[in-house]
Structures are given as C-alpha cells and as structure tokens.
Amino acid sequence: MRRAGLSGVPRVRPWSWQAFLLGFVVVAVSAALQGICVAFGAKLYFAAFLPSIFVVGFVAGAPAAAFTALLTIPVVWWAFMPPFFKFSALSSANADSINLFFLLAVFLIGLADLCRETMRITTSGGRKPPGDGAATNPQ
C-alpha cells in the first residue's frame, strides 16, 4: 500500500539562507498580488500574505515563516495602508489589523510546523519507539 504524501514538495532546511531568501521572495510576490487586488478595489490589507506564510512555514520551517510575517508588517504599512507609500502614525483600526494579522500568522506558523513535522514522521516510517535513553526507566 502506497502512502499518501506530498512527495513533490521540496523542503528547505529551516535556518538556511535559502529559507530566508524564499521568505523574502514570497513577500515580494504576495505584495504584487496584493497590489493587483487593491487595484480591483479590495481593502483587505493582509489577504495575499496569510496563505504565503503558511506555504513558507511548510516548505522552509518556522524561522523563515516568522521572518516572512515580520517582513510583511512594514511592507503592508508602507504600501497598502493610507497614506500610500509613506510611513505615518497608525490609526486604531490599522493597529488592530496588524495585531489580528500577527495573531493569525502565529497560528498559521504553528499549523505549518505541525504539518511539516507530520510529513517528516510519515516519510521516515512512523514514530520511533522510546529507546533506553537517560529519561526512560527500564523497570
């Protein structure tokens, strides 16, 4: 019986420079996609960035996804919150949008990390039985 899995999805080592470069590229592509959505009249500031954080977390790990989320906040503040292309004081509604995005990003990073770990376990043949380590009691 063949296992179901995402064998075609490349995975990147979590703390490598490729992981952080992937996060930077994904933020740039998401900003372009968000710009297209804004041109059509969408007012959701972080709509294109949330799925990309999950994808980066799944492919490159939690550190790169956290970098992506932290890089997204100043990009959206500068480019998509009025006045456009200028840093200004945040209104209460804009600060709430950033806080909600940060909360959702934390949940998505945790979910992506859980999915990544599950894929690692299933591709390696399942969980390993506990060995005779220092924390186990042989009795």
Side-chain angles (χ1 to χ4, degrees):
M1 186 163 131
R2 186 174 179 273
R3 287 190 184 167
L6 299 173
S7 60
V9 176
R11 290 190 296 183
V12 181
R13 286 182 301 133
W15 284 99
S16 66
W17 65 271
Q18 293 98 344
F20 291 101
L21 180 64
L22 177 67
F24 185 78
V25 168
V26 164
V27 168
V29 170
S30 296
L33 184 62
Q34 183 69 25
I36 292 169
C37 292
V38 168
F40 285 121
K43 297 200 186 297
L44 300 172
Y45 297 131
F46 296 99
F49 295 95
L50 285 170
S52 64
I53 288 174
F54 178 78
V55 169
V56 169
F58 184 73
V59 172
F67 170 74
T68 303
L70 291 176
L71 185 61
T72 297
I73 292 171
V75 167
V76 169
W77 184 9
W78 178 71
F80 300 111
M81 290 183 177
F84 301 112
F85 304 110
K86 189 186 305 183
F87 286 108
S88 63
L90 289 171
S91 67
S92 177
N94 290 343
D96 288 343
S97 294
I98 289 174
N99 287 336
L100 182 61
F101 165 75
F102 191 69
L103 177 68
L104 291 173
V106 168
F107 287 138
L108 284 174
I109 291 168
L111 180 64
D113 193 45
L114 182 65
C115 290
R116 184 178 170 92
E117 184 67 18
T118 302
M119 287 298 296
R120 187 192 62 77
I121 289 171
T122 58
T123 56
S124 68
R127 291 183 50 199
K128 304 291 184 220
D132 293 328
T136 59
N137 188 357
Q139 295 175 358

